[in-house]
Amino acid sequence: MIIEAQDISVKIGGRIVFEGESVSCKPGIMTALIGASGSGKTTLLHCLGLLLPVSKGSILINKNDVTKYGSAARRRFWRDHVAFVLQDYGIMDGESVAFNITMQTSVFGRRVIGNKERLTQSLEKTGLKGREKELAGHLSGGEKQRLALARAIYKDADILFVDEPTASLDATNRRKVIELLTDFAVRGRTVIVSTHDAEMIESCGILHQVGSKTNSITKSY
Ligand SMILES: Nc1ncnc2c1ncn2[C@@H]1O[C@H](COP(=O)(O)OP(=O)(O)OP(=O)(O)O)[C@@H](O)[C@H]1O
Ligand SMILES: [Mg+2]
């Protein structure tokens, strides 16, 4: 799916966060939203993911204007097409690792259900194998970040929105996460990443500098 921002501006509480941002995020290629701290990377990511309304301009999905989507249409978009790995990771601390990935339990008990094979795969790919019964609240910051990615892998959504995916990881896990995200893109998914990480940026094909008023750069290989 192609996700586009066309000349969008965001004003919060009378303050302009950014103006005139345009970026086109395509499947099969990772888009990096880059820029200094406070430039508006997270805000732009949230606008592209329909989590935050724009003050001006349009958001397009596959060339359709979705700027005026109501809450039901947005929920449908999130449910059917999107996985988010946001800055607070969206982890439910009081639930198990496995539940945080599948988000499904049996009707009566606390038993986690869902697709076993996909659950195992997502645990393996994020180095969380064997931890599925633990309380998510007991995980470290970096482990929670990987858990959020495991949820995204499990869902295997068309579009992945990721905020600073490598921020609290060591070199080995950073590389792993970059590989995981690249793998999503290679399989034809649209991957949009807000990042400061030079190695992460290196792996992205579209670079968009937030707040610079310049066009995005599309790298050729
Ligand atoms: N809900 C909000 N209310 C008020 N101001 C906000 C809100 N969300 C963002 N801002 C402001 O918008 C600006 C951009 O914030 P944003 O989080 O998008 O930056 P960022 O580029 O992601 O920074 P970082 O690299 O530190 O994560 C900041 O000055 C911030 O204070
Ligand atoms: Mg941010």
Side-chain angles (χ1 to χ4, degrees):
M1 294 175 104
I2 307 171
I3 311 291
E4 283 169 289
Q6 272 185 354
D7 203 15
I8 66 166
S9 303
V10 170
K11 212 174 176 181
I12 300 175
R15 202 174 139 252
I16 294 165
V17 176
F18 55 66
E19 279 184 306
E21 293 293 327
S22 296
V23 61
S24 180
C25 312
K26 301 183 176 76
I29 180 166
M30 286 203 284
T31 301
L33 307 179
I34 57 182
S37 176
S39 59
K41 301 181 294 298
T42 297
T43 306
L44 178 56
L45 187 81
H46 289 189
C47 289
L48 289 164
L50 308 186
L51 293 168
L52 189 76
V54 300
S55 314
K56 250 195 232 164
S58 314
I59 302 290
L60 278 71
I61 300 175
N62 288 341
K63 306 288 175 192
N64 297 311
D65 193 331
V66 299
T67 319
K68 299 260 158 37
Y69 258 12
S71 58
R74 275 187 285 132
R75 262 189 237 122
R76 222 174 301 123
F77 167 65
W78 297 327
R79 186 196 62 201
D80 297 341
H81 300 295
V82 176
F84 289 108
V85 182
L86 301 180
Q87 228 149 13
D88 65 359
Y89 315 138
I91 300 301
M92 287 166 275
D93 282 343
E95 301 288 350
S96 70
V97 166
F99 177 77
N100 267 280
I101 295 173
T102 67
M103 314 275 265
Q104 284 176 290
T105 48
S106 56
V107 182
F108 299 112
R110 309 285 301 154
R111 195 168 57 84
V112 173
I113 56 169
N115 186 313
K116 276 244 163 59
E117 199 185 316
R118 281 199 350 250
L119 173 61
T120 306
Q121 253 182 25
S122 56
L123 286 162
E124 275 172 359
K125 283 189 175 173
T126 51
L128 291 171
K129 197 166 167 239
R131 313 282 303 268
E132 49 269 45
K133 295 221 162 63
E134 279 180 47
L135 267 188
H138 293 174
L139 301 183
S140 73
E143 286 167 346
K144 282 186 185 176
Q145 193 161 28
R146 283 187 276 138
L147 175 55
L149 273 167
R151 181 190 290 159
I153 292 168
Y154 180 84
K155 184 167 180 185
D156 200 17
D158 300 317
I159 314 157
L160 189 55
F161 292 97
V162 200
D163 202 351
E164 306 277 2
T166 52
S168 41
L169 302 179
D170 56 31
T172 312
N173 280 303
R174 255 177 56 214
R175 204 144 307 130
K176 235 191 242 168
V177 165
I178 294 171
E179 271 170 31
L180 280 174
L181 296 176
T182 308
D183 183 54
F184 258 100
V186 166
R187 287 185 297 111
R189 308 298 191 255
T190 306
V191 180
I192 309 169
V193 185
S194 139
T195 187
H196 286 111
D197 184 329
E199 215 174 321
M200 180 79 242
I201 294 169
E202 188 58 38
S203 309
C204 291
I206 299 170
L207 308 185
H208 178 78
Q209 181 96 30
V210 183
S212 72
K213 296 273 166 74
T214 52
N215 291 329
S216 313
I217 298 165
T218 305
K219 286 195 229 161
S220 52
Y221 294 98

